[in-house]
Amino acid sequence: MRRFLALVSLVACLLTLSSNVNATKHFVLVHGAAHGAWCWYKVATLLESVGHNVTALDLTASGVNPSHVRQVKPLTDFLASLPDTADKVVLVGHSLGGLSISLAIESFPHKISVAIFISAFMPGPSLSYLAIYNKTTQEEGYFMDSQFIYDEGPNNPPTALHFGPNFIASRLYKLSPPEDLVLALSLARPFPLFYDQKLVTKEVKLTEERYGSVPRVFIMCDQDNGLEVSLQKWMIERNPPLEVRVINGTDHMVIATKPLKIFSNLIEIAEKYSYNSLKLIATS
Ligand SMILES: *[C@@H]1O[C@H](CO)[C@@H](O)[C@H](O)[C@H]1NC(C)=O
Ligand SMILES: *[C@@H]1O[C@H](CO)[C@@H](O)[C@H](O)[C@H]1NC(C)=O
Ligand SMILES: *[C@@H]1O[C@H](CO)[C@@H](O)[C@H](O)[C@H]1NC(C)=O
């Protein structure tokens, strides 16, 4: 931890010295399944250390009779609360958080300068969430020691999923620092599954006009056992973003494993797409 903080201040110094473009950006960070705002602690610290505004959200906790809409509500509430005069935000989703940010892009395209998918679910106008979910989970035994939760009785589909410790250790945190794995094992929570096809199809309607109007960047993780590289590529082919970047030597939890790489990529991407951050002021 001390080494990490030393790095933070070093990075902060270097960037302050070298920065010619230092406009404050607002980064909105959205966690993946079973996680919470806490999982961004390294990346958020780095971004704040160079003066950016960071909002890491906790999506609604799961459990009983969960629904899509409720889970994503903290994010949509937050974006709705931003005044139309505010600068556009840089929206970042990790893992299953990609689903939430996709819904947010569709609802608030005019409030987002660029959306960044970090090894994340990336549904689009012609790639449904269910197709991605099916593809992710078709591997026999994918969920390992995870436990399905049946709130609506054993004869109905499961409503939630609790990742098991082996799943977390080997699919998500394989290359992460051991203390991050310990943190995740103590904080991971069950999260809602979206089996209600009608609800999903209705809620996850992404259009070219709205969703398609926001620049998207996908960051690939090359040694990801949670969302395999083949699956990352499969989504990218079917729903091409403007740009694809690769971070090498990282597992699924790149935000814990390579926080400096994520930090520098986020800063670069935010700058690169800042042409889209200005508000168009209507003139009469
Ligand atoms: C950061 O974001 C918050 C929440 O929207 C906002 O109230 C605040 O003014 C922002 N600060 C800066 C420095 O942009
Ligand atoms: C996903 O899999 C389910 C169950 O196998 C199937 O009923 C459904 O049609 C599939 N959906 C998509 C979009 O592939
Ligand atoms: C990642 O590794 C691949 C294959 O080894 C290599 O071709 C690529 O240049 C590397 N990319 C980065 C950004 O380091």
Side-chain angles (χ1 to χ4, degrees):
M1 183 48 88
R2 202 172 333 127
R3 216 172 40 169
F4 175 69
L5 289 177
L7 259 179
V8 169
S9 43
L10 175 65
V11 170
C13 283
L14 287 176
L15 287 190
T16 314
L17 289 174
S18 69
S19 69
N20 40 11
V21 270
N22 54 4
T24 298
K25 301 273 189 307
H26 191 164
F27 291 86
V28 179
L29 312 177
V30 181
H31 63 83
H35 287 70
W38 57 266
C39 70
W40 295 100
Y41 73 103
K42 294 179 189 175
V43 175
T45 308
L46 287 162
L47 290 169
E48 281 169 353
S49 76
V50 296
H52 292 297
N53 201 352
V54 179
T55 304
L57 291 164
D58 265 328
L59 299 184
T60 304
S62 51
V64 179
N65 207 9
S67 88
H68 227 52
V69 188
R70 289 214 327 257
Q71 217 223 359
V72 101
K73 199 167 177 299
L75 176 58
T76 44
D77 282 355
F78 174 74
L79 290 171
S81 77
L82 290 177
D84 277 330
T85 50
D87 287 338
K88 292 186 186 181
V89 302
V90 177
L91 187 57
V92 186
H94 176 241
S95 194
L96 192 61
L99 176 61
S100 309
I101 70 168
S102 297
L103 294 170
I105 300 169
E106 179 69 21
S107 301
F108 302 98
H110 55 294
K111 292 188 173 184
I112 300 161
S113 65
V114 57
I116 305 174
F117 292 75
I118 303 176
S119 196
F121 276 51
M122 190 170 64
S126 54
L127 177 60
S128 73
Y129 161 69
L130 280 178
I132 302 173
Y133 181 81
N134 277 5
K135 183 98 178 155
T136 317
T137 55
Q138 73 189 188
E139 182 189 331
E140 189 71 32
Y142 172 80
F143 285 117
M144 302 176 64
D145 56 340
S146 304
Q147 292 187 335
F148 287 94
I149 295 168
Y150 293 85
D151 280 327
E152 289 165 7
N155 298 324
N156 286 310
T159 45
L161 180 59
H162 198 175
F163 284 159
N166 296 339
F167 177 94
I168 293 176
S170 65
R171 292 231 179 252
L172 310 182
Y173 283 82
K174 198 166 119 191
L175 303 173
S176 308
E179 55 270 37
D180 286 297
L181 173 59
V182 170
L183 195 62
L185 290 174
S186 61
L187 292 176
R189 303 178 62 169
F191 65 97
L193 291 169
F194 313 121
Y195 275 127
D196 186 336
Q197 305 234 1
K198 268 204 229 82
L199 180 68
V200 169
T201 321
K202 197 163 125 253
E203 297 299 333
V204 194
K205 180 93 192 88
L206 304 173
T207 62
E208 291 294 350
E209 301 71 48
R210 298 177 67 84
Y211 174 90
S213 70
V214 173
R216 277 179 292 120
V217 177
F218 193 98
I219 298 182
M220 295 180 63
C221 298
D222 75 327
Q223 295 184 41
D224 192 332
N225 292 334
L227 204 60
E228 303 277 349
V229 169
S230 58
L231 183 60
Q232 298 174 44
K233 289 185 174 155
W234 181 86
M235 286 188 293
I236 288 165
E237 269 166 30
R238 281 159 185 77
N239 182 26
L242 272 189
E243 188 181 342
V244 177
R245 296 179 173 222
V246 182
I247 297 182
N248 281 337
T250 182
D251 53 10
H252 189 60
M253 293 310 297
V254 59
I255 59 180
T257 309
K258 301 266 183 193
L260 281 168
K261 281 270 195 279
I262 287 295
F263 165 67
S264 57
N265 274 281
L266 295 191
I267 299 274
E268 274 174 38
I269 294 167
E271 280 305 330
K272 184 165 171 185
Y273 295 89
S274 59
Y275 67 82
N276 188 35
S277 69
L278 297 174
K279 287 279 161 189
L280 287 180
I281 311 287
T283 51
S284 48

